[in-house]
Amino acid sequence: SVFKAAGHNVPVAWTCSEIETNDPMLAGRVYAAQDVAEGKRAEYRIRYLARIDPLTMVPNRMQFQLLLQRAISNARRNRTALALLYVDVVQFKVINDSLGHDAGDQLLIQIAERLRGQVRSTDTAARIGGDEFILLFEEIPDLDRIIEIADRLLEVFSEPFLIDGNEVTSTASIGIIDGATGY
């Protein structure tokens, strides 16, 4: 239930107890409400973290699988094509080992931001493993458009990444699965 207090909705849990007495003047019920907002926030946070990679803040592998299933269903129903672009960060292990795990984490965060900047609101950029990302593009007209997207993604890696004040370069390997042509 929701209780309105000072103009704000507050989620509450209600309990009711019967007052057992022989005195009719004291007979009745006692109602109690407990604010459950903090529990609701914690529950929401747990559900959110189960779907989102906590480092990069993009969907994780489990959430991506759900989004992919939905995208395949939509593509079949609407007779449209979709494409998956698998992005593997080349030399990530070398960067991570030589500059440290914090630097590796910063690099992954920046890569996720750049990849997310290359997808439409209807598409998905997800982290599915250590240095592996996958991008899901829905309603893609043809293979030429997918190749343009892949080329644009490779350009994302042409600019150096700024890690702890140092410029770090990295490249990516991109694999394409085109739902329209099967490449």
Side-chain angles (χ1 to χ4, degrees):
S1 294
V2 176
F3 179 74
K4 197 161 189 104
H8 300 287
N9 291 334
V10 178
V12 294
W14 294 93
T15 59
C16 175
S17 299
E18 195 77 35
I19 299 173
E20 294 184 22
T21 179
N22 291 331
D23 185 347
M25 295 295 289
L26 299 176
R29 296 183 179 114
V30 174
Y31 294 92
Q34 180 181 3
D35 181 349
V36 293
E38 188 60 40
K40 291 276 188 192
R41 280 191 290 275
E43 179 183 339
Y44 174 80
R45 179 98 175 124
I46 289 168
R47 287 184 183 181
Y48 177 78
L49 290 175
R51 299 182 335 256
I52 301 297
D53 176 63
L55 177 66
T56 60
M57 303 309 287
V58 297
N60 62 18
R61 177 187 297 268
M62 184 175 67
Q63 179 67 11
F64 177 76
Q65 289 172 339
L66 296 172
L67 294 170
L68 178 59
Q69 288 173 355
R70 187 176 66 204
I72 290 170
S73 295
N74 288 341
R76 284 184 180 149
R77 183 175 46 257
N78 299 328
R79 298 185 184 271
T80 58
L82 55 86
L84 297 174
L85 278 71
Y86 172 84
V87 179
D88 185 40
V89 181
V90 177
Q91 300 289 325
F92 175 76
K93 184 170 175 24
V94 172
I95 294 168
N96 201 37
D97 290 347
S98 63
L99 298 177
H101 293 289
D102 287 342
D105 287 351
Q106 288 179 45
L107 178 61
L108 291 172
I109 290 167
Q110 290 181 38
I111 289 170
E113 288 172 358
R114 289 186 187 183
L115 293 176
R116 197 172 33 227
Q118 297 301 311
V119 299
R120 302 169 298 186
S121 62
T122 56
D123 302 323
T124 302
R127 181 177 176 210
I128 59 168
D131 64 344
E132 301 167 322
F133 294 85
I134 195 159
L135 290 88
L136 168 62
F137 293 91
E138 298 186 53
E139 299 183 18
I140 297 296
D142 55 39
L143 183 59
D144 290 337
R145 180 67 181 122
I146 296 166
I147 292 170
E148 287 175 22
I149 292 169
D151 287 341
R152 194 176 71 224
L153 291 173
L154 288 173
E155 287 178 23
V156 162
F157 285 86
S158 66
E159 292 289 321
F161 296 90
L162 191 60
I163 309 292
D164 292 330
N166 300 310
E167 285 189 355
V168 174
T169 58
S170 181
T171 58
S173 171
I174 298 178
I176 300 171
I177 301 172
D178 173 16
T181 61
Y183 290 104

